[in-house]
Amino acid sequence: MNNLKNTDFWVFRQTNEINTRGLFFLYVMVIAGIISITRLADWWFREEHVSSFSFFVLLSVVFWYGILRLILIWVNYLAIRKPVFHPVAKNIRVAIFTTSSPGEPLSMFEKTLEACSKIRYPHTTYLLDDTKDPAFKQCAEKHGAVHLELVGYPGAKAGKINAALSRTDEEIILVLDPDHIPFPNFFDEVLGFFADEQVGYVQVAQAYYNQYRSFTAKGAAEQTYSFYGPTQMGLFGRNCSVAIGSNCTFRRKALESIGGHGIGLAEDLVTSIRIHAAGWKSIYHPVIISRGLVPEEFGSFCKQQLKWARGVHEVLFSELPRLFKKLSFWQRISYTTIGSYYLVGLITLIYLLIPFVYLLFGVLPAKMQFIEFVFYGAPVMIIAILIYFYMQYWMCHPESERGFHWRGMILKFACWPVFFLGFVLSLNNAEIPYIPTAKQAVIGKISPFVYPLLIQLFLFILIISYVILERRFVIPETILVMTAEKTWGMIAFATISFLLSIGGLYAVLDSQFLKPEDPWDKVDISQIISKNTK
C-alpha cells in the first residue's frame, strides 16, 4: 500500500522494507560523518583558538552537545529494524480506553467512537469520562461503548486509565486519544506481536489529518515525521522504542507489574521507562492505522510543548536516575537522549547571546577564522543533510512526509523560550497543570508566547542599529578595518536568528486568520472502512 503515489491520509500505510543495500549506504555515510566530525574536533580544540577560556568552554559545551546528539541519532539509525509481522491470534480479550475531559467537543467523540465500533477484531471500547455531561454517556451508548464515569481521580488521563484498569479485565488494552480516528484493521496489525509473552506494549505511528489547517499544524506534523519513521525503528532495533500517549497497545500484566500507567506530564514516557526497567520488551510497528490532530495555532502548540518540556525533564531528573541500573545500556542512552532533548531551549539562548556579547562588549569566545570553520564544518553539515534525506525513505508515508521540513524547524526555534521555561520549572520542581492538547484552534486571541519573539526582534533591531551607527560615526578607521570580519560575521550570525524569529511571528499571525472549523466534520468513517478493507 505504501507504493501508492498519492497523499490520501485515510489509507493504511507502512514504511518501506529494510534491505542490505540500503543499510550499506547508510553505514558508508555514517562512517564518513564520523570521520568529518573527528576532523572538525581536531581543528576545533587547538590552543590558538582560545580567546577567553571560560567562554571557549561554554561555546564548546553547547556546540559539541549538538554534535554529540547528531552522532547518537546516526548510531540509532544503524540499528533500524522493522518487526516481522505476526498474524493476529484468536480469542484475545481486547479493550480500548479513550478519555474525555471538560471542554472537549462532543462532536469529535462521535467520530472517534464510531470508528472504534468499526474495528474488525472483537473488542470492548470504554469511554473514561469526567465531564459530568450526560451527552457523553449517550454518545458512548450510541456507538456500543461502555461509559465509565471517573470524576475526581488524581493523575488526569493516567489516573482515569488506572481507575479503569481496576474495573475491567481485558488482557490487552489500547490507549487511544479521543482525537485519533482508528482504521478498521487496527488490531489486525498489532495483536499478533503479543504472541511473544515478553512483549509489554506495541506502539504504532502517530499521524495527523488536519495538517492543511495552518502553518503551525503543518510544522507540528513535520516535527514528527522522522521520529515515527526511522528514529523509532532504530530504537526498536535495540529494544528502546518508547510508548507515546496514543495508539499504544499494552499488555495488562505489563501495566500491573509497574503499578499501573505512569502519572505525570510525560505519562507515556514514564510508563515506557518503567515497563522497560521491569524487563518487558517493546515493539515499534511503523504503520499508519489511525489519524489524529495536531495543534492548529501557535498558542496551543506552545502549551503542548511546555507540558512536554516540563514532563520530559521530570523523567530525566527523577525517573531515569531511579531506574538507571535496571535498564540496558542502549535504553540508558536512549532515555538520557530523549530526556535531555528540551535542553535545546538553554542551548539556543546561549547561541543567541554570543553575537550580542561580542557586538556590545567585544568579548569573543574563540579566535577562529570563519573561512576555516566553514572548511572543517561544511562536510559535517553536508553529510548530516544527506543522511537526513536518505532516512526519509523509511518514513511511514514518504509520499507526503518527505522534504526539508522548514516549518518544523521554524517552530522549534520559535519555541526555545518555552523549552527554557520548562527547564527552569524542572530545576525548581515547580508544578504546572496537566492541560489536554487543544482539539480546536483558539482564534482571535494573541498568545502570550508571542512576546519573546517580539522582544528578540526588537533587541536585534536596536543592537544592530547601535553597532552600525557606532561604526559609522565613532570608531576610528584603523579599528574598523581590524574588526570588520568579526563584526559582520557576528551580525550575519545574529541575522539567522532574526529571520527564524520572523518565521515564528508569521506562524502567530497565520493562526489569527484561521477560519472556525472542526476538521473531524469532514471525516467519512464509511470511506475509511472501504479504503482499508482487503
Side-chain angles (χ1 to χ4, degrees), residues 65 69 264-267 269-270 273 305-321 335-347 415-430 432:
Y65 163 83
R69 292 191 67 88
L265 294 173
E267 77 281 346
L269 196 59
V270 170
I273 192 173
Q305 296 298 308
L306 178 59
K307 180 182 73 173
W308 289 353
R310 175 65 182 91
V312 168
H313 281 127
E314 188 175 39
V315 172
L316 178 65
F317 297 139
S318 178
E319 289 293 324
L320 185 58
Y335 283 111
T336 300
T337 303
I338 294 171
S340 60
Y341 171 80
Y342 288 103
L343 289 176
V344 69
L346 175 62
I347 298 300
C415 282
W416 77 261
V418 178
F419 304 154
F420 181 67
L421 177 59
F423 172 70
V424 172
L425 292 174
S426 301
L427 294 179
N428 295 330
N429 199 28
I432 63 173

Side-chain angles (χ1 to χ4, degrees), residues 2-46:
N2 59 312
N3 292 322
L4 293 176
K5 297 300 181 181
N6 60 61
T7 56
D8 188 343
F9 284 168
W10 299 108
V11 177
F12 169 78
R13 304 282 177 175
Q14 61 179 322
T15 58
N16 290 301
E17 297 298 326
I18 301 166
N19 54 54
T20 303
R21 181 181 179 184
L23 288 177
F24 172 77
F25 285 113
L26 175 59
Y27 269 88
V28 169
M29 286 188 287
V30 170
I31 291 171
I34 298 297
I35 292 172
S36 67
I37 287 173
T38 303
R39 177 173 171 266
L40 174 62
D42 179 66
W43 171 81
W44 181 281
F45 294 105
R46 293 179 181 175

Side-chain angles (χ1 to χ4, degrees), residues 291-495:
R291 290 273 181 181
L293 301 177
V294 281
E296 295 181 351
E297 39 84 25
F298 187 74
S300 296
F301 178 76
C302 288
K303 289 179 182 178
Q304 179 195 67
Q305 296 298 308
L306 178 59
K307 180 182 73 173
W308 289 353
R310 175 65 182 91
V312 168
H313 281 127
E314 188 175 39
V315 172
L316 178 65
F317 297 139
S318 178
E319 289 293 324
L320 185 58
R322 184 174 67 85
L323 299 173
F324 196 76
K325 292 182 179 179
K326 297 182 179 181
L327 300 171
S328 70
F329 172 78
W330 287 111
Q331 286 169 353
R332 294 171 185 175
I333 296 294
S334 170
Y335 283 111
T336 300
T337 303
I338 294 171
S340 60
Y341 171 80
Y342 288 103
L343 289 176
V344 69
L346 175 62
I347 298 300
T348 303
L349 174 60
I350 294 172
Y351 274 126
L352 289 172
L353 291 176
I354 286 173
F356 295 127
V357 168
Y358 172 75
L359 294 172
L360 294 176
F361 306 107
V363 178
L364 269 178
K367 295 184 293 187
M368 299 177 180
Q369 294 294 322
F370 179 73
I371 297 300
E372 286 189 4
F373 176 74
V374 171
F375 177 74
Y376 287 97
V380 178
M381 182 181 68
I382 292 170
I383 293 172
I385 292 173
L386 288 175
I387 293 176
Y388 183 77
F389 280 100
Y390 184 77
M391 298 308 296
Q392 292 182 12
Y393 179 77
W394 288 291
M395 287 179 173
C396 288
H397 187 184
E399 293 82 13
S400 69
E401 295 176 355
R402 287 191 185 116
F404 195 63
H405 305 149
W406 57 275
R407 298 175 191 85
M409 295 177 189
I410 287 175
L411 281 185
K412 181 178 179 179
F413 175 83
C415 282
W416 77 261
V418 178
F419 304 154
F420 181 67
L421 177 59
F423 172 70
V424 172
L425 292 174
S426 301
L427 294 179
N428 295 330
N429 199 28
E431 296 292 333
I432 63 173
Y434 183 98
I435 303 174
T437 301
K439 308 303 188 295
Q440 294 167 305
V442 180
I443 301 173
K445 182 179 179 182
I446 297 292
S447 168
F449 291 106
V450 71
Y451 297 139
L453 292 175
L454 294 175
I455 292 172
Q456 286 175 240
L457 295 173
F458 173 75
L459 290 177
F460 174 86
I461 294 172
L462 182 65
I463 293 174
I464 298 302
S465 298
Y466 167 78
V467 170
I468 291 175
L469 291 174
E470 183 186 41
R471 292 182 67 83
R472 176 66 177 84
F473 297 107
V474 178
I475 296 178
E477 185 70 27
T478 53
I479 297 179
L480 286 177
V481 174
M482 294 174 57
T483 59
E485 180 182 354
K486 296 184 181 68
T487 299
W488 292 110
M490 287 296 183
I491 289 176
F493 186 24
T495 300

Side-chain angles (χ1 to χ4, degrees), residues 50-118:
V50 179
S51 178
S52 166
F53 181 77
S54 57
F55 277 100
F56 181 78
V57 169
L58 179 63
L59 175 63
S60 296
V61 167
V62 298
F63 180 80
W64 287 96
Y65 163 83
I67 296 295
L68 176 60
R69 292 191 67 88
L70 185 64
I71 294 172
L72 291 174
I73 290 171
W74 293 349
V75 172
N76 178 59
Y77 286 159
L78 295 179
I80 189 170
R81 279 180 56 207
K82 189 175 180 180
V84 177
F85 179 75
H86 294 279
V88 61
K90 301 291 185 181
N91 302 320
I92 299 177
R93 299 183 66 243
V94 183
I96 298 176
F97 286 178
T98 190
T99 61
S100 55
S101 299
E104 292 183 315
L106 178 63
S107 56
M108 179 180 70
F109 287 85
E110 291 280 359
K111 294 291 185 180
T112 298
L113 293 176
E114 181 186 358
C116 288
S117 72
K118 303 301 182 183

